[in-house]
Amino acid sequence: MSLLDLQLEMRACQRCHQAGYEITPGAVFSGSREARVLLIGQAPGITEVEAKRPFNAGSGRRLFQWLGDAGWDEDDFRGRHYMTAVTKCYPGRSRSGKGDRVPSKAEQALCRSFLEREITAVNPHLMILVGGLAIKLLFPGSSRLADIIGTAAYFPPERLQNPVNFNFRQAIHLDAFDRTLDSSGRWVVPLPHPSGASLWPNKPENKRLIARAVAILSDAREQRDL
Ligand code: SF4
C-alpha cells in the first residue's frame, strides 16, 4: 500500500469515534515519502483540524521558533518534511477546561498502527518527538523532561531492520550530535510540548536544555543535509 493510500485511510478513519471517544474525526498530518525528517506531536488541536495542518496555531509558533533557531525556515520544513502525531484526530477539551484532553492509552493504541506505517513508509534520518506522549514512544515513562531534553538517541543502521524501532536499550544515547556515526543511522531528538499553556519551556534552566536540543538539531540538519 502506498503512503497516499495510507493517508486516505487515516483521513477516513473513525476507529476512536466508533469506540466511544468524543474525538473530531479528520486525521491531521502532512508530508510525503521523500521526507527525511519525521516530527511526531501529541494530537492536533481544533485550529489544526480547521486548517488541516499540524502545529498550525500557538504551539506551532513556539515549535517553529525552535526549528528556526536550528536553521529550518517554517515553509521549507513544512514543504520537505513529515509532520504527524501519536493520535491524529482532535481529542476535544479536557474535563478541567484547561487545554485539550490528552488522548487515552486506548486511543493511542487504536492509532498506533497508522504511526508505525507512516514511519515505515518514510523511514526518516531524523525523528523529532514533541511533547510527553511522543517522547514516551521511546523514553521510559518515568523519565523527567529535565533529564531528556538536550539529549539525543542514535539508532545504527543494523538496528533499523525494523524501521519502527523504539527500543530504548537499542539506541546509543548522547548529549551532542556525533558526525562520526554512520550517516545511514537514525537520530531521535526530543523536544518539550510547545503549547503556550506549558510553563516548562519558560524557566531559565529549561531554556538552556532546549538550546542544547536545538544545537543537536542544527548539527544534524547541517551534517546530514536535512
Ligand atoms: S485518532 Fe487515529 S485511530 Fe483514532 S479515529 Fe483518528 S486516525 Fe483513527
Side-chain angles (χ1 to χ4, degrees), residues 9-17 23-27 86-90 107 109-112 114:
E9 193 183 328
M10 292 192 292
R11 282 204 182 94
C13 180
Q14 301 269 340
R15 283 180 203 167
C16 295
H17 201 53
I23 58 133
T24 302
V86 174
T87 64
K88 300 175 209 312
C89 296
Y90 176 54
E107 290 161 282
L110 285 168
C111 213
R112 178 70 182 231
F114 286 143

Coordinates of all heavy atoms in Angstrom, one line a residue, residues 9-17 23-27 86-90 107 109-112 114, ligand 1:
E9 N -6.7 6.5 4.1 CA -7.3 5.6 5.1 C -7.3 6.4 6.5 O -8.3 6.3 7.2 CB -6.4 4.3 5.2 CG -7.0 3.2 6.0 CD -6.1 2.0 6.2 OE1 -5.3 1.8 5.3 OE2 -6.2 1.4 7.2
M10 N -6.3 7.1 6.8 CA -6.2 7.8 8.0 C -7.3 8.9 8.0 O -8.0 9.1 9.0 CB -4.9 8.4 8.3 CG -3.8 7.4 8.5 SD -2.2 8.1 9.2 CE -1.6 9.0 7.8
R11 N -7.4 9.6 6.9 CA -8.4 10.7 6.9 C -9.9 10.2 7.1 O -10.7 10.9 7.6 CB -8.3 11.4 5.5 CG -7.2 12.4 5.4 CD -7.4 13.5 4.4 NE -6.1 14.3 4.4 CZ -5.1 14.1 3.6 NH1 -5.2 13.2 2.6 NH2 -4.1 14.9 3.7
A12 N -10.1 9.0 6.6 CA -11.5 8.4 6.7 C -11.7 7.7 8.0 O -12.8 7.2 8.3 CB -11.7 7.5 5.5
C13 N -10.6 7.5 8.8 CA -10.7 6.6 10.0 C -11.7 7.2 11.0 O -11.8 8.3 11.3 CB -9.3 6.5 10.6 SG -9.3 5.5 12.1
Q14 N -12.5 6.2 11.6 CA -13.5 6.5 12.6 C -13.3 5.6 13.8 O -14.2 5.5 14.7 CB -14.9 6.3 12.1 CG -15.3 7.1 10.8 CD -15.9 8.4 11.2 OE1 -16.4 8.6 12.3 NE2 -15.9 9.3 10.2
R15 N -12.1 5.0 13.9 CA -11.9 3.9 15.0 C -12.3 4.5 16.4 O -12.9 3.8 17.1 CB -10.5 3.5 15.0 CG -10.1 2.5 13.9 CD -8.6 2.1 14.1 NE -8.1 1.7 12.8 CZ -6.8 1.5 12.6 NH1 -5.9 1.8 13.5 NH2 -6.4 1.1 11.4
C16 N -11.7 5.6 16.7 CA -11.9 6.2 18.1 C -13.3 6.5 18.3 O -13.9 6.3 19.4 CB -10.9 7.3 18.3 SG -9.2 6.9 18.3
H17 N -13.9 7.2 17.3 CA -15.3 7.6 17.4 C -16.2 6.3 17.6 O -17.1 6.3 18.5 CB -15.7 8.2 16.0 CG -16.9 9.1 16.1 ND1 -17.0 10.1 17.1 CD2 -18.0 9.1 15.4 CE1 -18.2 10.7 16.9 NE2 -18.8 10.1 15.9
I23 N -13.9 12.2 19.8 CA -12.9 12.9 19.0 C -13.7 13.6 17.9 O -14.8 13.3 17.6 CB -11.9 12.0 18.5 CG1 -12.6 10.8 17.7 CG2 -11.1 11.4 19.6 CD1 -11.9 10.6 16.4
T24 N -13.0 14.5 17.2 CA -13.4 15.1 16.0 C -12.7 14.4 14.8 O -11.5 14.6 14.6 CB -13.2 16.6 15.9 OG1 -13.8 17.2 17.0 CG2 -13.7 17.2 14.6
P25 N -13.4 13.5 14.1 CA -12.7 12.7 13.1 C -12.1 13.7 12.0 O -12.6 14.7 11.8 CB -13.8 11.8 12.4 CG -14.9 11.8 13.5 CD -14.8 13.1 14.2
G26 N -11.0 13.2 11.4 CA -10.4 14.0 10.4 C -8.9 14.1 10.7 O -8.5 15.1 11.4
A27 N -8.2 13.0 10.4 CA -6.8 13.0 10.8 C -5.9 14.1 10.2 O -6.1 14.5 9.1 CB -6.2 11.6 10.3
V86 N 0.9 11.3 17.6 CA 0.6 10.0 18.3 C -0.8 9.6 18.0 O -1.1 8.4 17.6 CB 0.9 10.0 19.8 CG1 0.5 8.7 20.5 CG2 2.4 10.3 20.0
T87 N -1.8 10.5 18.2 CA -3.1 10.3 17.7 C -3.5 11.5 16.8 O -3.1 12.6 17.0 CB -4.2 10.2 18.8 OG1 -4.2 11.4 19.5 CG2 -3.8 9.1 19.8
K88 N -4.2 11.2 15.7 CA -4.2 12.2 14.6 C -5.5 12.9 14.5 O -5.7 13.7 13.6 CB -4.0 11.4 13.3 CG -2.6 10.8 13.3 CD -2.3 10.0 12.1 CE -1.3 8.8 12.5 NZ -0.1 9.2 13.2
C89 N -6.5 12.7 15.4 CA -7.7 13.4 15.4 C -7.8 14.3 16.7 O -7.3 13.9 17.7 CB -8.9 12.5 15.3 SG -8.9 11.5 13.8
Y90 N -8.6 15.4 16.6 CA -8.7 16.3 17.7 C -9.5 15.6 18.9 O -10.6 15.2 18.7 CB -9.5 17.5 17.3 CG -9.8 18.5 18.4 CD1 -8.8 19.0 19.2 CD2 -11.1 19.0 18.6 CE1 -9.0 19.9 20.2 CE2 -11.3 19.8 19.7 CZ -10.3 20.3 20.5 OH -10.6 21.2 21.5
E107 N -6.9 5.1 22.9 CA -6.9 5.8 21.6 C -5.5 5.8 21.0 O -5.3 5.6 19.8 CB -7.3 7.3 21.9 CG -8.7 7.4 22.2 CD -9.0 8.8 22.9 OE1 -8.7 8.9 24.1 OE2 -9.5 9.7 22.2
A109 N -3.4 3.4 21.3 CA -3.3 2.0 20.8 C -4.0 1.9 19.5 O -3.5 1.3 18.5 CB -3.7 1.0 21.8
L110 N -5.2 2.5 19.4 CA -6.0 2.4 18.2 C -5.3 3.1 17.0 O -5.4 2.7 15.9 CB -7.4 3.1 18.4 CG -8.4 2.3 19.2 CD1 -9.6 3.2 19.6 CD2 -8.9 1.1 18.4
C111 N -4.5 4.2 17.3 CA -3.9 4.9 16.2 C -2.4 4.4 16.0 O -1.8 4.9 15.0 CB -3.8 6.4 16.6 SG -4.0 7.5 15.2
R112 N -1.9 3.5 16.8 CA -0.5 3.2 16.7 C -0.1 2.6 15.4 O 1.0 2.9 14.8 CB -0.2 2.2 17.9 CG 1.2 1.7 17.9 CD 2.2 2.7 18.3 NE 3.5 2.2 18.3 CZ 4.4 2.3 19.3 NH1 4.0 2.9 20.4 NH2 5.6 1.8 19.2
F114 N -1.2 3.2 12.5 CA -1.0 4.3 11.5 C 0.4 4.9 11.6 O 1.1 5.1 10.6 CB -2.1 5.4 11.6 CG -3.5 4.9 11.2 CD1 -4.6 5.4 11.8 CD2 -3.6 4.2 10.0 CE1 -5.9 5.0 11.4 CE2 -4.9 3.8 9.6 CZ -6.0 4.2 10.2
Ligands
SF4_1 S1 -7.1 9.2 16.3 FE1 -6.2 7.8 14.8 S2 -7.3 5.8 15.3 FE2 -8.5 7.5 16.2 S3 -10.0 8.0 14.7 FE3 -8.3 9.4 14.4 S4 -7.0 8.4 12.8 FE4 -8.4 6.9 13.6

